[in-house]
């Protein structure tokens, strides 16, 4: 999953490479039914991850497809259905989805999404592991069907009619009708919602693949500070097949997340769901390589072992992240688990070159606070 830190060692302006940004590519399959957007850049290729966003307008359907990447999808807003066919299985599974749902899709899983609501969009964030992808840092989707003359016309159009006829035991006139009736491509605008029922739990070894991060008991909950729901294979076992972890974090207005880093060399891949705030990232030379205002819709990556801290603005700050380890390990510099508090006082005194009284004052601050610090 991890590669050498090529991006971090070149001569380019690292602050430009790392700065949070909005999607920089709108898919060529933009339709009346919705849009697909994606992020591209050096850090995505370096981290071997991809990032995209799918927006489906009311009653729209995304054509069944599979990706060259293992994915964690997060429902940013709206309600609808997701259908999946896992590799080596013969049955489709359909689940209702809503805001806060994380959907885990192992490599090679066919999936479709459907907005069943008459007024609101269904918006899905798509993050994933591109270490086996055709192009590192981006997803390549293989659509089953679509209009032949458009981009992403679908796999079925790639074969000659006689191949399709023999593969499905069809008359070529039937094949012609099948392949030429569709006038749209990857996103279809329907007149009414599809009448599809949820299926029961999978009994084929994949288990549950949808997990709502909003409703669960939070792993950390600090009054006036923030809350975090951590997603690992402990609460969603299918993540063992994907190799990623995730979390949903909500900071209250003016609160801060303790400076910390991934102790096991994972990348933190973050999408700002809502609110606003500020993020700072510091490298091994003590340089602040990121110091930026962030708000809903922005995306950024924290490089391996770099220390990051975020502070919420007046309306709070919410983000969803994937971490490129199934069960990531984080170390924090502030709060009750602070590394500084674990060190011998004499070491801290020598490191700061201060007297014992100042070190003692420093050590006794935030002795009971978790990783979220309320505003003064």
């Amino acid at each position: 999953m991890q590669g050498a830190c090529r991006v971090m060692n070149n001569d380019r302006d690292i602050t430009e490479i790392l700065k949070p940004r909005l999607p920089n590519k709108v898919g060529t399959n933009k339709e009346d039914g919705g849009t697909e957007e994606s992020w591209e850049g050096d850090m995505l290729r370096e981290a071997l991850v991809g990032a995209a966003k799918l927006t489906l307008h009311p009653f729209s359907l995304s054509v069944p497809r599979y990706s060259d990447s293992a994915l964690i999808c997060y429902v940013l807003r709206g309600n609808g259905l997701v259908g999946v066919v896992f590799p080596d299985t013969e049955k489709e599974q359909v689940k209702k989805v809503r805001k806060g749902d994380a959907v885990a899709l192992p490599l090679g899983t066919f999936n479709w999404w459907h907005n069943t609501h008459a007024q609101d969009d269904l918006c899905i964030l798509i993050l994933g592991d591109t270490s086996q992808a055709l192009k590192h840092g981006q997803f390549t989707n293989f659509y089953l069907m679509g209009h032949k003359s458009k981009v992403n016309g679908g796999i079925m159009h790639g074969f000659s009619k006689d191949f399709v006829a023999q593969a499905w035991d069809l008359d070529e006139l039937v094949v012609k009708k099948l392949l030429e009736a569709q006038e749209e491509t990857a996103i279809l605008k329907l007149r009414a919602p599809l009448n599809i029922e949820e299926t029961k739990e999978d009994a084929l070894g994949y288990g549950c693949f949808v997990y709502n991060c909003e409703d669960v008991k939070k792993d950390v909950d600090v009054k006036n500070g923030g809350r975090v729901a951590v997603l690992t294979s402990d609460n969603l076992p299918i993540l063992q097949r994907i190799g990623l972890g995730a979390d949903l974090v909500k900071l209250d207005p003016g609160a801060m997340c303790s400076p910390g880093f991934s102790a096991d060399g994972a990348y933190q891949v973050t999408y700002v769901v809502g609110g606003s705030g500020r993020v700072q990232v510091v490298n091994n030379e003590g340089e602040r390589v990121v110091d930026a205002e962030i708000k809903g819709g922005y995306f950024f990556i924290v490089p391996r072992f770099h220390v990051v801290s975020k502070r919420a603005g007046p309306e709070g700050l919410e983000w969803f992240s994937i971490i490129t380890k199934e069960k990531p390990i984080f170390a924090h510099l502030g709060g009750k688990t602070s590394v500084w508090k674990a060190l011998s006082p004499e070491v801290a005194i020598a490191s700061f070159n201060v007297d014992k009284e100042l070190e003692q004052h420093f050590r006794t601050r935030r002795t009971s606070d978790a990783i979220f610090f309320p505003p003064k």
Side-chain angles (χ1 to χ4, degrees), residues 221-227 251-256 372-375:
D221 191 342
V222 177
K223 183 178 180 181
N224 299 322
R227 289 149 297 286
L251 281 183
D252 291 326
M256 171 183 279
F372 302 127
F373 308 147

Side-chain angles (χ1 to χ4, degrees), residues 310-363:
K310 308 177 191 76
R311 185 168 61 198
E315 68 243 75
L317 181 64
E318 178 180 353
W319 67 86
F320 181 82
S321 298
I322 63 166
I323 299 94
T324 59
K325 294 282 187 178
E326 177 196 337
K327 293 182 178 180
I329 301 171
F330 290 98
H332 294 277
L333 307 187
K336 65 181 180 181
T337 59
S338 168
V339 173
W340 280 112
K341 290 181 172 58
L343 294 171
S344 303
E346 294 78 7
V347 172
I349 290 170
S351 298
F352 281 114
N353 191 27
V354 296
D355 58 31
K356 182 178 180 179
E357 287 71 25
L358 181 54
E359 191 281 332
Q360 182 68 15
H361 179 71
F362 170 71
R363 178 177 295 274

Side-chain angles (χ1 to χ4, degrees), residues 221-280:
D221 191 342
V222 177
K223 183 178 180 181
N224 299 322
R227 289 149 297 286
V228 58
V230 178
L231 187 58
T232 71
S233 59
D234 289 336
N235 44 30
L236 193 62
I238 196 173
L239 291 180
Q240 290 180 337
R241 298 175 180 264
I242 294 177
L244 300 173
D247 58 32
L248 176 67
V249 181
K250 296 185 179 182
L251 281 183
D252 291 326
M256 171 183 279
C257 185
S258 170
F261 66 97
S262 171
D264 54 358
Y267 289 94
Q268 300 172 62
V269 183
T270 299
Y271 176 86
V272 181
V273 176
S276 64
R278 185 178 175 186
V279 58
Q280 293 187 353

Side-chain angles (χ1 to χ4, degrees), residues 196-212:
I196 302 177
E197 297 293 329
E198 271 195 304
T199 53
K200 295 181 180 180
E201 268 321 317
D202 168 47
L204 299 173
Y206 282 86
C208 181
F209 61 97
V210 180
Y211 183 88
N212 191 276

Side-chain angles (χ1 to χ4, degrees), residues 27-181:
T28 53
N29 59 308
K30 183 177 181 181
E31 304 285 351
D32 291 339
T35 58
E36 286 195 74
E37 304 168 279
S38 62
W39 285 263
E40 294 183 350
D42 288 338
M43 275 309 304
L44 285 159
R45 290 186 287 272
E46 172 74 24
L48 299 177
V49 296
K53 187 163 62 173
L54 172 65
T55 300
L56 297 177
H57 298 327
F59 299 158
S60 292
L61 169 73
S62 67
V63 172
R65 62 185 176 180
Y66 67 93
S67 172
D68 60 355
S69 305
L71 306 174
I72 294 180
C73 306
Y74 181 75
V75 180
L76 297 168
R77 67 176 184 271
N79 297 274
L81 296 172
V82 61
V84 305
V85 179
F86 292 114
D88 298 323
T89 63
E90 299 177 355
K91 295 182 179 180
E92 175 190 66
Q93 291 193 72
V94 178
K95 297 296 179 185
K96 292 179 180 178
V97 291
R98 58 189 173 90
K99 183 181 183 300
D101 278 340
V103 180
L105 302 175
L107 190 66
T109 299
F110 279 95
N111 64 96
W112 54 261
W113 299 81
H114 179 38
N115 185 354
T116 56
H117 202 277
Q119 296 178 330
D120 298 330
D121 287 345
L122 174 63
C123 188
I124 304 113
L125 174 69
I126 305 171
L127 304 174
D129 167 21
T130 67
S131 60
Q132 299 184 68
L134 297 176
K135 298 179 180 179
H136 290 168
Q138 60 183 283
F139 305 133
T140 299
N141 296 313
F142 293 78
Y143 299 88
L144 282 185
M145 194 52 199
H147 191 282
K148 182 178 181 180
S149 64
K150 296 183 178 181
V151 176
N152 299 328
I155 296 169
M156 294 287 284
H157 284 297
F159 290 100
S160 60
K161 289 184 175 61
D162 61 308
F163 263 57
V164 175
Q166 184 172 351
W168 282 273
D169 191 20
L170 297 171
D171 184 276
E172 286 200 30
L173 291 177
V174 177
V175 172
K176 178 179 174 63
K177 185 175 181 179
L178 275 174
L179 297 183
E180 296 180 2

